């Protein structure tokens, strides 16, 4: 049973495969730009992702392990991405 | 073609070791300048191929895509596409971190569409081998359609082979017309699938993957330990800037003083002597004296950047800085500004996004730089009694601390206002890659440090020197009439300006002597101390602070003294900083915005302080 969550709500230790990529921004041009940047950093459908660090204030920004690369981003930048969780070797 | 050198452009992701490869190829034969019209560095080096063919190597700003998102990436795109006439490449070298191929493969696919002959340099190949990463070089080369060469830039391995293959590919492949177009989201997804296919076909995952970076990160990015380490690091850096730089600063001060004395001795008294000694030597000296601090500061910044820590510091600070509308990366430039706003403004280049960089530059001079210290010290010595309050706090130290705090607080407020008013709702993603930790290469740190020093000195020469001469001329001409009794500066243009401006400054409690001192004080903040000395006819005021403080405490009211301090928290009394701001923003407009807003804040602050102090009976 795979659980699908929004990537921006993931906690440290949670990981899985990117289920869908969509960028949410008020301005459509910004949303398109954000989506392209996310894709350029390897956040594509099917990519293996794990949240490995959370920032000291408000658990934001976060560091994601994306197919072996470490990408730092703010949570609100990935609120349009959904993650199909795999086995939770969670720290929580 | 035969008489011109082959132009080779290095393209790659940030942190791929591209600059290390460039340094290994060109060594000290590199020229660093700005691209015309933008503040992006152009790095080029003339070298010879193993067979003697002349080559020009260009180090283009790192990028993940030719789809340019920042001014730096626009340069990369334009050069790659042959749109900049000064740099039209014949061959493109895609520099790849052999241990981190996924994103660069996508870039390589884009580069292939450009149609120029291209070669991939698999850099850091020694690390890949150590990790037991197996790369099928031939298969990879076929799949991406360009020759693949393995290199280790830090050990200068594979360089000759790379250059030979660059020549070979240039001789054997004709450039095809470009079919590149800006990739849309569908193209990027397709390119990623292609890159994944190539990776799984030709690259076996490492047997001994890098676990060190993860281990270091678990400490350095720890929510509590990470912040503590960051603060400790900053404390050490700050201490070093002041203590390590002190001998150098003293030496420069002493050397220039001796030079001035020597020139004064061998030259007849008169205008020319005054121009050289009071204008040029002491003017340049007041800027040159900050060189040691700038070098120490940049040494730290370069080491931390090369080690891979800067991106982590930005990560830790992003939320804290973000409250004021600043990017996490703004942290280092603002910190540097405590020593001097010039390196602070210069190091704002680490921020990719144009708006965040501009905000950072605009608030950097509000941080209390070391040139304010002599002014603060003088006024505090004159007006703040040496008392202890609440049993243990020294009042003079408390006032000093308050002035620092006022600087920081105002920087945060101003950046918040800039964000809310000018760039309301502007979209600036934070996203960045955290590179693997690496030992900094001493050679490349030294080279970089030398380049920073040269840039600073060139600016001191080109912008600051003429301005110093202007300030000198204002305080010298016209000379006092025969039989004049006051100080010479009273009769000069500076004196006239001071008296003319006096009515404007009267509401904030400044007398005309103070206003006169502010004119030469535009050269640099601490010059105001010497200028006050001149106006009040205290010889050698900078070394005789006690005497001058005594005079001031008799001549000024406490309210005036406090207003003067408030003025100095904000006023942009430093033409050197303004010159660098003009240079770094490439705009007179932003420089004037800075001048106006800082003078406005200074006036307002001095007014409020003066009126409050008078109301409390301290006038």
């Amino acid at each position: 049973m795979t659980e699908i969550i929004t990537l921006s709500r993931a906690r440290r230790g949670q990981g899985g495969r990117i289920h869908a990529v969509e960028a949410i921004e008020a301005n459509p041009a910004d949303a398109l730009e954000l989506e392209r940047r996310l894709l350029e950093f390897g956040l594509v459908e099917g990519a293996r992702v794990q949240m490995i660090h959370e920032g000291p204030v408000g658990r934001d920004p976060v560091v994601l392990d994306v197919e072996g690369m470490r990408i730092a981003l703010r949570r609100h930048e990935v609120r349009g991405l959904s993650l199909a969780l795999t086995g939770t070797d969670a720290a929580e | 073609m035969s008489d011109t050198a082959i132009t080779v452009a290095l393209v790659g992701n940030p942190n791929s070791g591209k600059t290390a490869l460039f340094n290994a190829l060109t060594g000290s034969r590199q020229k660093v300048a700005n691209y015309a019209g933008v503040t992006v560095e152009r790095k080029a080096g003339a070298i010879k191929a193993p067979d003697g063919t002349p080559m020009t190597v260009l180090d283009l700003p790192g990028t993940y895509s030719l789809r340019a998102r920042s001014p730096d990436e626009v340069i990369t795109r334009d050069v790659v596409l042959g749109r900049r006439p000064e740099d039209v490449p014949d061959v493109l070298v895609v520099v790849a971190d052999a241990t981190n191929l996924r994103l660069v493969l996508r870039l390589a696919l884009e580069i292939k569409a450009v149609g120029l002959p291209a070669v991939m340099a698999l850099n850091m190949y020694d690390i890949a081998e150590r990790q037991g990463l197996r790369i099928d070089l031939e298969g990879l080369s076929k799949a991406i359609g360009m020759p693949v060469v393995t290199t280790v830039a830090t050990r200068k391995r594979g360089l000759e082979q790379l250059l030979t293959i660059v020549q070979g590919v240039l001789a054997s492949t004709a450039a095809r017309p470009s079919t590149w177009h800006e990739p849309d989201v569908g193209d990027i997804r397709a390119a990623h699938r292609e890159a994944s296919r190539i990776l799984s076909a030709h690259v076996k995952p490492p047997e001994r993957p890098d676990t060190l970076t993860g281990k270091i990160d678990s400490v350095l990015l720890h929510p509590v330990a990470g912040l503590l380490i960051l603060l400790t690091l900053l404390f050490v850096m700050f201490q070093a800037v002041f203590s390590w730089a002190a001998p150098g600063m003293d030496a420069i001060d002493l050397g220039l003083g001796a030079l001035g004395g020597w020139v004064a001795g061998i030259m007849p008294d008169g205008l020319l002597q005054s121009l050289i000694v009071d204008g040029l030597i002491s003017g340049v000296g007041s800027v040159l004296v900050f060189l040691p601090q700038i070098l120490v500061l940049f040494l730290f910044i370069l080491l931390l950047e090369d080690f891979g820590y800067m991106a982590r510091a930005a990560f830790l600070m992003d939320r804290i800085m973000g409250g004021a509308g600043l990017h996490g990366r703004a942290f280092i430039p603002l910190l540097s500004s405590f020593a001097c706003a010039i390196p602070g403004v210069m190091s704002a280049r680490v921020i990719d996004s144009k708006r965040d960089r501009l905000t950072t530059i605009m608030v950097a001079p509000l941080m209390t730089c070391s040139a304010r210290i002599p002014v603060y010290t003088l006024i505090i010595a004159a007006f703040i009694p040496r008392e202890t309050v609440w049993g243990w706090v020294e009042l003079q130290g408390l006032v000093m601390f308050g002035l620092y705090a006022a600087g920081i607080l105002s920087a945060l407020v101003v950046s918040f206002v800039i964000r809310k008013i000018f760039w309301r709702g502007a979209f600036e993603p934070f996203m960045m890659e955290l590179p693997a930790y690496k030992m900094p290469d001493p050679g490349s740190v030294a080279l970089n440090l030398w380049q920073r020093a040269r840039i600073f000195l060139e600016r001191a020469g080109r912008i600051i020197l003429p301005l110093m001469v202007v300030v000198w001329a204002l305080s010298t001409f016209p000379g006092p009439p025969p039989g004049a009794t006051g100080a010479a500066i009273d009769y000069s243009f500076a004196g006239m300006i001071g008296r003319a401006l006096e009515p404007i400054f009267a509401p904030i409690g400044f007398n005309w002597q103070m206003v006169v001192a502010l004119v030469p004080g535009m050269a640099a903040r601490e010059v105001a101390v010497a200028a006050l000395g001149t106006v009040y006819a205290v010889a050698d005021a900078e070394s005789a602070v006690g005497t001058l403080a005594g005079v001031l405490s008799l001549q000024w009211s406490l309210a005036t003294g406090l207003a003067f301090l408030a003025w100095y928290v904000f006023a942009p009394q430093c033409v050197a900083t303004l010159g660098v701001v003009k240079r770094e923003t490439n705009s007179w407009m932003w420089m004037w915005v800075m001048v106006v807003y800082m003078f406005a804040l200074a006036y307002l602050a001095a007014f409020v302080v003066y009126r409050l102090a008078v109301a409390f009976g301290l006038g």
Side-chain angles (χ1 to χ4, degrees):
Chain A
M1 186 68 205
T2 12
E3 191 189 342
I4 294 183
I5 63 163
T6 306
L7 183 53
S8 59
R9 308 176 87 113
R11 298 300 299 274
R12 198 161 78 86
Q14 284 187 310
R17 280 184 188 275
I18 298 287
H19 180 69
V21 179
E22 195 190 329
I24 301 176
E25 279 296 322
N27 178 338
D30 288 347
L32 192 65
E33 174 61 27
L34 179 60
E35 184 175 354
R36 292 206 276 194
R37 288 201 197 190
L38 290 165
L39 293 171
E40 278 168 5
F41 273 118
L43 286 158
V44 289
E45 287 83 357
R48 272 180 314 224
V49 168
Q50 191 184 20
M51 185 165 289
I52 52 176
H53 298 285
E54 292 173 323
V57 182
R59 297 179 189 280
D60 192 37
V62 296
V63 180
L64 300 176
D65 178 315
V66 182
E67 300 276 1
M69 286 168 301
R70 288 160 301 269
I71 309 291
L73 35 73
R74 295 182 184 135
R75 283 183 187 270
H76 74 86
E77 290 163 355
V78 289
R79 63 190 192 272
L81 273 71
S82 54
L83 183 71
L85 286 180
T86 49
T88 43
D89 44 342
E92 304 296 319
Chain B
M1 274 311 282
S2 58
D3 57 331
T4 53
I6 301 170
T7 303
V8 183
L10 307 184
V11 199
N13 295 159
N15 310 308
S16 58
K18 189 172 51 57
T19 300
L21 185 63
F22 175 76
N23 287 341
L25 283 169
T26 62
S28 53
R29 286 154 300 179
Q30 48 177 276
K31 286 214 172 83
V32 183
N34 271 359
Y35 275 95
V38 281
T39 54
V40 177
E41 267 175 10
R42 176 187 185 272
K43 290 179 148 191
I47 59 163
K48 284 205 177 4
D51 70 352
T53 314
M55 288 182 160
T56 304
V57 185
L58 293 172
D59 182 17
L60 297 178
T63 185
Y64 292 99
S65 164
L66 291 183
R67 199 178 66 72
R69 309 165 306 180
S70 68
D72 292 46
E73 294 178 5
V74 168
I75 288 292
T76 302
R77 179 196 66 199
D78 288 353
V79 171
V80 167
L81 297 178
R83 290 179 188 170
R84 289 198 78 100
E86 71 265 45
D87 287 326
V88 178
D90 302 302
V91 184
L92 300 174
V93 173
V94 181
V95 185
D97 172 355
T99 63
N100 187 7
L101 284 172
R102 187 173 296 269
L103 299 189
V104 76
L105 283 179
R106 227 202 66 252
L107 180 65
L109 294 172
E110 268 193 65
I111 295 283
K112 219 175 64 175
V114 172
L116 284 176
V119 178
M120 178 175 276
L122 274 189
N123 195 31
M124 308 192 208
Y125 197 67
D126 56 335
I127 301 176
E129 279 181 322
R130 217 177 304 141
Q131 293 182 2
L133 189 75
R134 294 270 186 74
I135 304 174
D136 162 20
L137 298 174
E138 220 167 289
L140 178 65
S141 165
K142 280 210 184 83
I144 58 172
M146 54 179 88
V148 174
V149 188
T150 61
T151 58
V152 183
T154 47
R155 284 168 219 277
K156 298 192 188 289
R157 275 188 359 218
L159 304 182
E160 293 203 350
Q161 200 199 354
L162 172 65
L163 294 177
T164 308
I165 290 192
V166 161
Q167 283 183 287
V169 77
L170 183 63
S172 63
T173 350
R176 285 171 288 108
S178 171
T179 57
W180 182 84
H181 62 275
E182 195 166 292
D184 63 23
V185 290
D187 296 331
I188 301 174
R189 286 187 166 94
H192 262 299
R193 277 195 295 276
E194 175 69 4
S196 289
R197 196 189 58 74
I198 295 173
L199 270 182
S200 55
H202 305 293
V203 180
K204 279 227 180 71
E207 290 159 10
R208 297 172 293 278
D210 165 35
T211 52
L212 188 62
T213 295
K215 282 180 194 150
I216 299 177
D217 270 346
S218 63
V219 180
L220 293 187
L221 296 184
H222 187 274
V224 181
L227 273 184
L228 283 177
I229 292 170
L230 177 62
L231 290 179
T232 311
L233 211 60
L234 297 179
F235 181 75
V236 171
M237 185 165 144
F238 211 10
Q239 287 291 310
V241 163
F242 287 101
S243 60
W244 298 2
M249 295 173 82
D250 292 345
I252 290 176
D253 235 6
L254 220 65
L256 285 169
L259 181 69
W262 178 73
V263 172
I266 59 159
M267 282 182 73
D269 280 357
L271 271 186
L272 191 63
Q273 189 215 60
S274 167
L275 171 67
I276 292 176
V277 177
D278 305 328
L280 297 183
I281 296 179
S282 72
V284 170
S286 64
V287 178
L288 203 62
V289 78
F290 293 108
L291 184 66
Q293 285 193 340
I294 288 176
L295 287 180
V296 173
L297 205 68
F298 271 113
L299 178 67
F300 272 91
I301 292 177
L302 289 170
L303 285 175
L304 292 176
E305 182 80 60
D306 287 3
F307 179 58
Y309 186 71
M310 281 310 209
R312 270 87 180 177
F315 168 80
L316 289 170
M317 291 305 293
D318 184 64
R319 193 63 183 267
I320 299 165
M321 309 283 294
L326 286 163
H327 189 278
R329 283 195 175 243
F331 178 59
I332 294 299
L334 293 185
L335 188 82
S336 312
S337 302
F338 278 112
C340 173
I342 295 170
V345 169
M346 279 162 66
S347 61
R349 288 187 183 206
V350 298
I351 307 167
D352 322 315
S353 107
K354 204 179 149 199
R355 292 193 192 93
D356 287 332
R357 178 156 141 189
L358 203 49
T359 313
T360 308
I361 290 176
M362 294 309 277
V363 301
L366 289 171
M367 305 311 249
T368 303
C369 66
S370 48
R372 284 178 175 95
I373 296 175
V375 181
Y376 289 173
T377 315
L378 170 69
I379 306 298
I380 288 176
F383 293 99
I384 310 297
R386 290 185 67 94
E387 273 175 16
T388 327
V389 286
W390 307 315
W392 57 278
V393 183
E394 235 202 300
L395 189 59
Q396 292 192 333
L398 186 68
V399 171
M400 194 66 147
F401 175 81
L403 292 166
Y404 270 87
I408 298 172
L409 205 66
S410 59
L412 295 179
V413 170
V414 170
S415 56
F416 183 78
V417 169
I418 291 177
R419 184 88 198 160
K420 285 293 164 205
I421 293 182
F422 296 103
W423 296 319
R424 208 184 165 77
F427 165 76
E428 295 289 358
F430 173 73
M431 248 181 276
M432 59 187 178
E433 193 181 347
L434 300 186
Y437 288 108
K438 268 188 245 28
M439 259 339 256
D441 174 48
S444 102
V445 169
L447 192 68
N448 256 314
L449 201 58
W450 162 237
Q451 283 168 358
R452 291 298 124 200
R454 230 184 44 198
I455 291 171
F456 173 75
L457 292 177
E458 272 173 22
R459 278 170 206 184
R462 262 193 236 141
I463 307 170
I464 301 164
L465 197 63
L467 289 167
M468 294 297 178
V469 174
V470 170
V471 168
W472 169 82
L474 286 178
S475 351
T476 308
F477 295 111
T485 48
I489 195 172
D490 297 357
Y491 304 95
S492 68
F493 289 117
M496 294 177 206
I497 296 172
R499 285 175 193 273
L501 292 179
E502 195 196 346
I504 301 178
F505 285 90
I508 62 172
F510 286 17
N511 57 33
W512 70 265
Q513 289 95 331
M514 295 164 75
V515 186
V516 171
L518 291 182
V519 178
M522 276 308 290
R525 292 184 172 86
E526 79 279 14
V527 174
V529 174
L532 281 173
T534 313
V535 179
Y536 285 109
V538 174
D540 201 8
E542 275 187 86
S543 50
V545 165
T547 323
L548 181 58
V551 173
L552 294 186
S553 62
L554 295 175
Q555 299 269 346
W556 300 1
S557 67
L558 176 56
T560 295
L562 294 177
F564 197 68
L565 283 180
W567 172 268
Y568 259 90
V569 171
F570 298 103
Q573 301 259 166
C574 176
V575 285
T577 300
L578 297 176
V580 170
V581 167
K582 193 266 150 188
R583 216 8 230 257
E584 291 292 312
T585 58
N586 202 30
S587 137
W588 286 106
M589 189 201 62
W590 285 111
M591 190 205 82
W592 284 112
V593 169
M594 177 181 281
V595 171
V596 170
Y597 104 77
M598 288 182 78
F599 271 129
L601 279 183
Y603 193 87
L604 194 71
F607 182 82
V608 170
V609 166
Y610 181 69
R611 292 290 146 186
L612 279 178
V614 170
F616 281 101
L618 307 172

